[in-house]
Amino acid sequence: MQNHPPTRRGALRKLAAFLALLPLAAAAPALAADNFPSKPIRLIVSYPPGGSNDIAARIIAPELGQALGASVVVENRAGASGVIGADHVAKSDPDGYTLLLSSISPIVLAPQTMKSPPFYAPKAFKAVNMMALTPEAIAVGPRLSGVKTLKELLDRAKTQQITLSSSGSGGLPHLTIELLRKVQGNILHVPYKGAGPAVTDTLGGHVDGIVMDLPPLYSLIKENRLTALAVTSEKRVDFLADVPTAQEFLPGFNVENWVGIFAPAGTPDAIVAKVDAALRHAVAQPKVKTALADAAMAPAVMDTPQDFQKRLADDYVRWGKVIQDAGVEMTN
């Protein structure tokens, strides 16, 4: 029998041990998926409590947990226009136990207004699925009480400068205003630090109108304190059926803010599939549909997680161009 040198014999033993472990390594993701979930799941919201993302998370978490057979705990991690919480999830273990509930701003818009974004969303996250859509609302306050339609607003802008407030620079409301400015350049964007001050100054007549996600404006529109000129969704929304879409006057003008759930990149497909199935079941529940509608959000899911992943990538490109064209000031 031939004797191998000790060093070679040791190397062969290590190789044999490595090869023996390969089947176990290959089976690990499947085993993890079979046992998932075996502990509570954290659902990260990258804004403070009370906003539309937080409301959506607290509507879906109980039903999602029931469908998965584990508790789903909502955790708020606010800061940097939502980027801090999103980055926390992007850098978390890809095991399905740390998920992100996000709208378009924290992962598509805000990073593209930063000089050194901490992540590139289409690669940093694995989409689970959408759960709701909400359009932007274009509304006017008492300074333009005679304006009742979007056409009238743009016609007025031909003879006077129109001021439209938003909750800040670089967000979806701001970019919606930039799209309006492409139609009629005599519109001035007035950014505020949050939805509250923007609404207050619009109601107080300090600015002509406001563009914002529908949820914060919904009750004010229903109470006739603001006049809704248009919503920016593809179709009219059931809960404001008398308000036309912007597309009815401006063909192709479509701005919808989605809310969905994401996992860190690298999360096994089988785990994503489990969460996706649970999310679909939760969104289909009548009480979830009612709660979302009460918050001015329309329940919506896509056919597959891959479809939502493609939408994420497409939206990243679309809004990146709008940000660049608008000359949005970059932050550190």
Side-chain angles (χ1 to χ4, degrees):
M1 178 182 290
Q2 182 180 2
N3 291 322
H4 297 292
T7 53
R8 187 179 176 191
R9 186 182 298 117
L12 289 172
R13 286 175 178 169
K14 288 181 180 179
L15 177 60
F18 172 75
L19 292 174
L21 289 173
L22 281 179
L24 295 176
L31 184 61
D34 288 342
N35 294 333
F36 177 85
S38 59
K39 61 182 180 180
I41 296 168
R42 294 190 303 149
L43 185 60
I44 306 298
V45 174
S46 54
Y47 290 113
S52 55
N53 282 24
D54 181 70
I55 291 169
R58 295 182 190 280
I59 289 172
I60 205 68
E63 295 297 323
L64 184 63
Q66 185 172 348
L68 285 168
S71 60
V72 176
V73 181
V74 177
E75 182 178 318
N76 299 88
R77 283 181 171 254
S81 300
V83 173
I84 287 177
D87 188 47
H88 171 76
V89 176
K91 293 178 171 57
S92 295
D93 290 337
D95 55 10
Y97 292 102
T98 304
L99 302 173
L100 175 70
L101 183 139
S102 181
S103 58
I104 198 169
S105 289
I107 60 175
V108 171
L109 306 184
Q112 296 194 79
T113 66
M114 303 174 75
K115 294 177 182 176
S116 301
F119 56 78
Y120 170 60
K123 297 294 185 184
F125 299 101
K126 182 174 278 190
V128 175
N129 214 320
M130 186 188 296
M131 61 168 282
L133 288 168
T134 185
E136 301 303 298
I138 304 169
V140 294
R143 263 177 50 165
L144 290 182
S145 57
V147 172
K148 303 299 182 185
T149 68
L150 181 57
K151 181 181 185 303
E152 291 175 0
L153 179 74
L154 295 175
D155 285 345
R156 183 75 67 92
K158 294 175 182 177
T159 58
Q160 72 180 73
Q161 186 178 68
I162 300 297
T163 54
L164 294 178
S165 67
S166 82
S167 52
S169 294
L172 199 58
H174 172 200
L175 299 182
T176 303
I177 293 172
E178 293 299 332
L179 293 178
L180 285 174
R181 288 184 69 246
K182 285 189 173 183
V183 179
Q184 176 49 259
N186 202 23
I187 293 174
L188 177 67
H189 172 229
V190 183
Y192 285 81
K193 292 184 177 179
V199 169
T200 298
D201 270 15
T202 306
L203 291 173
H206 300 291
V207 290
D208 295 319
I210 188 168
V211 176
M212 198 169 290
D213 288 358
L214 185 52
L217 304 185
Y218 180 52
S219 63
L220 297 171
I221 293 168
K222 296 291 285 184
E223 295 164 6
N224 295 317
R225 297 175 67 193
L226 291 173
T227 301
L229 308 182
V231 292
T232 61
S233 48
E234 185 176 355
K235 300 177 181 178
R236 294 193 184 197
V237 294
D238 292 340
F239 38 82
L240 284 176
D242 58 334
V243 177
T245 69
Q247 289 192 90
E248 291 175 41
F249 176 62
L250 299 173
F253 197 104
N254 181 25
V255 180
E256 285 185 307
N257 196 358
W258 41 253
V259 178
I261 292 180
F262 299 86
T267 303
D269 289 342
I271 289 178
V272 170
K274 276 193 173 183
V275 181
D276 174 40
L279 180 60
R280 289 171 177 280
H281 176 81
V283 171
Q285 300 310 301
K287 62 182 177 181
V288 170
K289 290 182 176 181
T290 300
L292 287 173
D294 288 345
M297 289 181 269
V301 296
M302 300 197 77
D303 289 341
T304 67
Q306 291 75 23
D307 289 332
F308 192 28
Q309 190 80 34
K310 183 179 185 302
R311 170 130 190 199
L312 172 65
D314 290 346
D315 281 349
Y316 202 93
V317 173
R318 178 195 181 190
W319 291 111
K321 186 177 187 307
V322 175
I323 289 169
Q324 185 177 21
D325 290 348
V328 175
E329 184 178 352
M330 297 291 107
T331 62
N332 292 325

